[in-house]
Amino acid sequence: MASREDMGSWLEGGRRDDAPDAAGRLGLPESGPGSQARLGRRVVALVVDWAVATLIAYLVTTPASFAELNSWATLLVFALENVLLVSTVGFTIGHRLLGMQVRVPGAPQGMAPGFARGAVRTVLLCLVIPAVVWDRDGRGLHDRAAGTVLVRR
């Protein structure tokens, strides 16, 4: 049976043996600080950010019970947190707690992505589908469209 690795990503075409790996293509180290963040860290950071957004939405909207909390309020708070924090400091609360940072490949270390990249990344992240479809580098389509990569700090 053929595996996904044998065929390459359907987004990028077939795999070539002489092609550089993801770290080489993105100009990142293989491991350690500055290397691409793994899926487990990214998922936990997303859960932390969603929990923070839920708590803030609950406190701001003051529903009679948690069941009455409007899910749109949580999504709005989540989007605001992402666009403001990623654009200005390069990480969300979840990213910071798990030692990650959003960077532009090739940009100086510690430089924030900026508002345009942060906004594109956030809108696509909130749509969910672009975030769960990855390219051959392991980046979600929201990161690829924004020209960013999530790396370890």
Side-chain angles (χ1 to χ4, degrees), residues 70-88:
N70 186 344
S71 61
W72 289 106
T74 302
L75 183 62
L76 179 64
V77 171
F78 179 80
L80 286 172
E81 174 199 5
N82 268 273
V83 76
L84 292 175
L85 293 177
V86 168
S87 298
T88 57

Side-chain angles (χ1 to χ4, degrees), residues 60-153:
V60 171
T61 60
T62 59
S65 70
F66 191 76
E68 292 179 16
L69 180 62
N70 186 344
S71 61
W72 289 106
T74 302
L75 183 62
L76 179 64
V77 171
F78 179 80
L80 286 172
E81 174 199 5
N82 268 273
V83 76
L84 292 175
L85 293 177
V86 168
S87 298
T88 57
V89 293
F91 51 80
T92 64
I93 295 167
H95 293 155
R96 180 68 174 173
L97 289 174
L98 285 138
M100 298 182 296
Q101 179 179 8
V102 178
R103 288 189 45 212
V104 176
Q109 180 73 18
M111 183 176 162
F115 182 76
R117 291 180 194 271
V120 166
R121 186 179 189 280
T122 298
V123 167
L124 294 175
L125 179 63
C126 289
L127 292 175
V128 178
I129 298 299
V132 297
V133 176
W134 303 299
D135 66 5
R136 67 181 176 166
D137 296 332
R139 291 191 303 170
L141 294 183
H142 66 299
D143 274 327
R144 183 162 179 139
T148 58
V149 63
L150 191 58
V151 297
R152 293 175 56 194
R153 290 183 59 116

Side-chain angles (χ1 to χ4, degrees), residues 49-62:
D49 289 334
W50 191 260
V52 168
T54 302
L55 178 64
I56 292 170
Y58 181 79
L59 295 173
V60 171
T61 60
T62 59

